[in-house]
Amino acid sequence: MRDLLGDHVLDLLLERSRDGAGGLRLTGEGSMLGELVKAVLERALEAELSAHLGYGKHEVAGHGSGNSRNGRIGKTVQTGVGPVRLAVPRDRAGTFEPMLVPKRAGRVSGGLDDMIISLYAHGMSVRDIQHHLRQIYDTELSHEAISNITDAVLEEVRAWQARPLEAVYPVVFLDAIVVKVRDNHSVQAKPAYLAIGIDADGDKHVLGIWLAKTPLDTATAGESARFWNAVMNDLKNRGVRDILIACTDGLNGFEDAIHAAFPHTTVQACVVHLIRNALRPVARRDRAALAAELKKIYTAPSAEAAFDALADFSASTWGERYPQAVRVFEAAWDRFIPFFAFSPAVRKLLYTTNSIESLNYQLRKVTKARGHFPGDDAVVKLLWLAIINIEDKRARERAITKEKTGKAKNSPNTARLIEGQRTIGWREALIELDIAYPGRI
């Protein structure tokens, strides 16, 4: 750019961009960048009009053509560097429709729209984005304008939610984050459920995001069998024919719904959630010791040994002091023991939803700054944008690392969060799963 403009032009631009105190005003109306954007846009508009008329300015070919230039009209548009005052050319017949700056459009799409969507994906509310644009770029955009810009991605979100899936997923994890949503004219806490599937190649993918609708005659959105039937049917309609193991946190109505859609699926309770539920009523001073005792149950070599370990724990002083911890495992026993059929390496993959919880941890950082969402679509939109934003950021970090070192080395901050992440130890796990579920993979 410096070679193109030359130092003389840059010096003039710098001089014109200084404020009364001698500082530089790079953005906003009348700034250096604003003047550059103005010049480029007006030049492009002149080129559009020439293409529309079929001849250039002052060319003889325009004489007697039936249409000609008819001066300019002033118009202020919002851009990525703030408001810019343009002189938009007109034609005498009134048939010129600019593509770059359409009639009745108050902004130039591209940089500003991308910036607003990026700010939204980082968890900023519409009000926060308004304040940011006003403070940094001296740009005023209405609440409706910002909402319309972010709503432009809804079509992509819906296409992503309806995209075809693999026919078979050996393992699917389901978990939720709680968000506040306006539903039935009241704000309530609702769980947003995410599903992560591991395909036959061992790659992880977010399969979808679902929120339960609140019935008109109830106050809250429940995890009903009807809701889970709708989720399972959605997966089937998108091409899923079989799920070997579904790892969840004892969701109400889920087991019946998944067996109705996928009769041969094994439901595995998340051991991490079981431990949390067992430790919930335990005094803080006792938690470490009690957790060590519970570890003997879920690290037992077999289901029978785990049952004996639970019996020993129940009869111990800890079990008598905290019987609720025993009841947590007893209530979920049939869903707790399936992973004992596999080797320790595969058990570590199956008995916890840690992979989806790492995603939810990142998503909570985005949603916690929001007071509440106006509807379910707004929740899905933000969660989808956040996932895309996180994966793009990590991809850029990987590219920078590779450029500096020449090696595609992943760190905890650059590794894929979910999409396309390869499951560690998947080859061994696939062999065991194929033996346990012959002919289904």
Side-chain angles (χ1 to χ4, degrees):
M1 182 63 73
R2 180 173 180 175
D3 293 339
L4 182 64
L5 295 177
D7 290 343
H8 177 66
V9 174
L10 290 175
D11 289 341
L12 291 175
L13 287 171
L14 282 170
E15 188 62 32
R16 291 186 59 181
S17 297
R18 294 191 184 278
D19 56 23
L24 284 178
R25 191 160 46 88
L26 296 178
T27 60
E29 192 169 1
S31 65
M32 180 175 69
L33 294 179
E35 289 293 313
L36 282 173
V37 170
K38 172 182 171 68
V40 170
L41 288 178
E42 289 183 348
R43 177 66 175 170
L45 288 169
E46 288 288 351
E48 280 194 52
L49 180 56
S50 295
H52 173 72
L53 295 175
Y55 62 89
K57 194 172 183 179
H58 307 305
E59 288 186 2
V60 178
H63 295 169
S65 63
N67 198 5
S68 61
R69 287 170 169 79
N70 189 31
R72 298 177 179 83
I73 185 171
K75 179 177 183 177
T76 300
V77 294
Q78 304 294 342
T79 71
V81 296
V84 172
R85 185 70 178 173
L86 297 177
V88 181
R90 299 184 298 181
D91 65 332
R92 191 166 297 280
T95 57
F96 177 48
E97 294 282 349
M99 298 294 293
L100 189 61
V101 186
K103 290 182 178 179
R104 295 172 294 280
R107 68 181 189 276
V108 178
S109 60
L112 185 63
D113 288 17
D114 293 342
M115 180 194 306
I116 289 172
I117 290 173
S118 176
L119 294 174
Y120 191 86
H122 280 83
M124 290 181 67
S125 66
V126 172
R127 190 182 301 276
D128 292 335
I129 294 173
Q130 283 181 304
H131 177 71
H132 177 81
L133 294 176
R134 186 184 306 114
Q135 183 181 47
I136 304 300
Y137 298 101
D138 193 25
T139 294
E140 290 283 351
L141 282 183
S142 67
H143 186 284
E144 292 74 16
I146 295 175
S147 295
N148 289 338
I149 292 171
T150 59
D151 283 346
V153 303
L154 277 177
E155 187 174 343
E156 293 182 63
V157 175
R158 294 188 181 106
W160 175 79
Q161 285 276 74
R163 75 195 190 281
L165 300 175
E166 297 291 333
V168 178
Y169 286 94
V171 185
V172 170
F173 302 96
L174 277 138
D175 200 9
I177 64 173
V178 178
V179 293
K180 292 183 179 180
V181 187
R182 182 172 293 279
D183 197 2
N184 285 349
H185 308 292
S186 64
V187 176
Q188 58 179 279
K190 293 177 65 172
Y193 294 97
L194 288 88
I196 292 179
I198 302 179
D199 62 22
D201 294 325
D203 294 333
K204 298 177 183 178
H205 305 279
V206 180
L207 305 185
I209 304 169
W210 300 272
L211 279 84
K213 296 291 184 182
T214 304
L216 293 174
D217 56 345
T218 60
T220 59
E223 301 168 357
S224 65
R226 184 176 181 180
F227 167 69
W228 287 117
N229 280 330
V231 173
M232 293 303 109
N233 287 332
D234 180 45
L235 293 177
K236 289 188 70 173
N237 291 337
R238 292 162 61 192
V240 180
R241 294 291 172 262
D242 195 11
I243 296 173
L244 304 190
I245 300 173
C247 187
T248 69
D249 176 26
L251 303 171
N252 295 330
F254 173 78
E255 191 165 358
D256 292 338
I258 195 170
H259 285 154
F262 307 104
H264 306 295
T265 296
T266 299
V267 177
Q268 171 66 54
C270 173
V271 176
V272 172
H273 281 88
L274 289 179
I275 296 170
R276 288 178 185 167
N277 294 336
L279 294 177
R280 186 166 287 121
V282 176
R284 186 180 298 272
R285 65 179 180 276
D286 295 335
R287 286 187 178 180
L290 194 69
E293 292 299 316
L294 293 175
K295 187 175 182 180
K296 298 176 182 178
I297 301 173
Y298 62 84
T299 59
S302 65
E304 293 76 12
F307 184 82
D308 293 339
L310 179 63
D312 292 341
F313 175 80
S314 179
S316 69
T317 303
W318 289 119
E320 293 176 356
R321 184 180 302 178
Y322 299 108
Q324 173 63 23
V326 178
R327 288 196 292 268
V328 166
F329 279 88
E330 289 178 341
W333 192 256
D334 290 339
R335 292 179 286 108
F336 165 65
I337 59 174
F339 77 101
F340 283 109
F342 301 98
S343 67
V346 181
R347 290 184 195 181
K348 188 176 181 180
L349 165 67
L350 299 178
Y351 70 53
T352 176
T353 56
N354 274 351
S355 60
I356 196 169
E357 288 196 2
S358 63
L359 169 63
N360 287 348
Y361 172 75
Q362 297 293 334
L363 297 180
R364 286 189 186 97
K365 293 195 295 186
V366 175
T367 60
K368 68 180 181 180
R370 306 296 296 267
H372 69 273
F373 293 87
D376 293 353
D377 283 346
V379 178
V380 177
K381 176 176 67 175
L382 177 61
L383 295 179
W384 179 80
L385 282 171
I387 294 170
I388 297 298
N389 182 62
I390 294 168
E391 297 291 8
D392 285 350
K393 179 181 178 182
R394 294 186 172 211
R396 289 193 297 270
E397 292 294 333
R398 289 196 299 272
I400 292 172
T401 301
K402 186 175 182 179
E403 185 178 352
K404 289 181 177 179
T405 64
K407 299 179 181 179
K409 185 177 180 180
N410 287 337
S411 69
N413 293 326
T414 63
R416 294 177 183 269
L417 180 64
I418 287 295
E419 280 298 321
Q421 183 188 80
R422 183 57 60 89
T423 303
I424 298 175
W426 179 247
R427 184 173 298 178
E428 294 78 7
L430 189 62
I431 293 172
E432 291 192 38
L433 289 170
D434 191 39
I435 294 172
Y437 301 98
R440 292 175 60 185
I441 301 178

